């Protein structure tokens, strides 16, 4: 949960977009920073949210901004919270298919005091090309109760806060 007045980075992705919608629905007063054009529009629909968008290059076929401009801008800020997603979570490793996306996520992690991974249970699957971080590098993992028990135990065992919603996998 967020506290009014916090600065919050919203990375790209469908699960993070759900968090943005929840912030708007609850009218939580925050400063939001994002590299996702659709998430920026959602957050911007709330008068309670002050939105900043990282500049950069639009990733083909997505709403995500990547590249050196995003990396430079992210290095120059310090936020209270990062909400980010991932392509896969496997045996305590968070991974992404794209080197550009993984690079952005790694820098965003360094720019936030609290790192919170938002993944639905379908993301607990075989590791992909680019490693982003270890689950133990995070403060919290937010997922649904359809996630594999052994992965949930691994998260708890790493000393990371685990928050479960009862929605089950959305089949992404």
């Amino acid at each position: 949960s967020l506290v009014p007045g916090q600065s919050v980075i919203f990375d790209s992705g469908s699960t993070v977009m759900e968090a943005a919608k929840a912030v708007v629905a609850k009218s939580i007063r925050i400063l939001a920073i994002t590299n996702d054009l659709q998430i920026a529009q959602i957050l911007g629909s709330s008068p309670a949210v002050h939105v900043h968008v990282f500049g950069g290059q639009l990733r083909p076929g997505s709403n995500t901004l990547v590249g050196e401009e995003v990396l430079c801008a992210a290095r120059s800020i310090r936020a209270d919270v990062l909400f980010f997603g991932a392509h896969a979570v496997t045996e305590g490793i968070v991974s992404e298919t794209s080197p550009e996306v993984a690079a952005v996520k790694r820098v965003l992690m360094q720019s936030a005091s609290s790192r919170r991974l938002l993944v639905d249970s379908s993301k607990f699957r075989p590791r992909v090309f680019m490693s982003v971080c270890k689950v133990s590098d995070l403060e919290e993992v937010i997922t649904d109760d359809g996630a594999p028990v052994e992965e949930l135990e691994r998260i708890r065992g790493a000393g990371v806060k685990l928050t479960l919603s009862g929605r089950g996998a959305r089949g992404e």
Side-chain angles (χ1 to χ4, degrees):
S1 61
L2 298 175
V3 178
Q6 281 186 311
S7 53
V8 184
I9 301 170
F10 291 83
D11 177 36
S12 59
S14 57
T15 314
V16 175
M17 187 183 303
E18 294 304 315
K21 290 176 182 175
V23 164
V24 169
K26 294 177 183 174
S27 293
I28 303 171
R29 188 181 55 79
I30 60 167
L31 171 72
I33 313 103
T34 187
N35 64 320
D36 186 292
L37 298 177
Q38 191 173 5
I39 289 174
Q41 288 183 307
I42 289 166
L43 291 166
S45 70
S46 170
V49 182
H50 188 72
V51 182
H52 290 264
V53 180
F54 290 119
Q57 183 179 346
L58 191 61
R59 187 175 183 217
S62 80
N63 295 299
T64 307
L65 295 164
V66 294
E68 197 56 41
E69 290 168 88
V70 177
L71 299 176
C72 287
R75 286 186 192 108
S76 71
I77 66 162
R78 189 72 188 168
D80 297 311
V81 177
L82 164 65
F83 286 131
F84 76 111
H87 184 84
V89 181
T90 320
E91 296 177 355
I93 301 291
V94 178
S95 61
E96 271 298 334
T97 53
S98 153
E100 296 81 11
V101 170
V104 168
K105 289 178 192 296
R106 285 193 294 264
V107 171
L108 293 179
M109 285 182 66
Q110 294 168 9
S111 301
S113 300
S114 176
R115 294 161 291 274
R116 303 177 191 175
L117 179 67
L118 281 64
V119 286
D120 70 51
S121 57
S122 72
K123 300 299 172 80
F124 291 92
R125 57 188 175 187
R127 187 172 167 180
V128 290
F129 182 52
M130 294 299 297
S131 176
V132 174
C133 66
K134 294 184 284 209
V135 166
S136 59
D137 296 329
L138 308 174
E139 279 65 46
E140 183 175 9
V141 174
I142 301 164
T143 189
D144 61 72
D145 56 14
V149 173
E150 63 275 13
E151 290 284 5
L152 298 180
E153 288 173 356
R154 188 175 280 115
I155 292 165
R156 288 189 186 103
V160 175
K161 180 180 179 186
L162 179 63
T163 302
L164 295 177
S165 69
R167 285 202 306 269
R170 293 200 315 269
E172 294 176 19

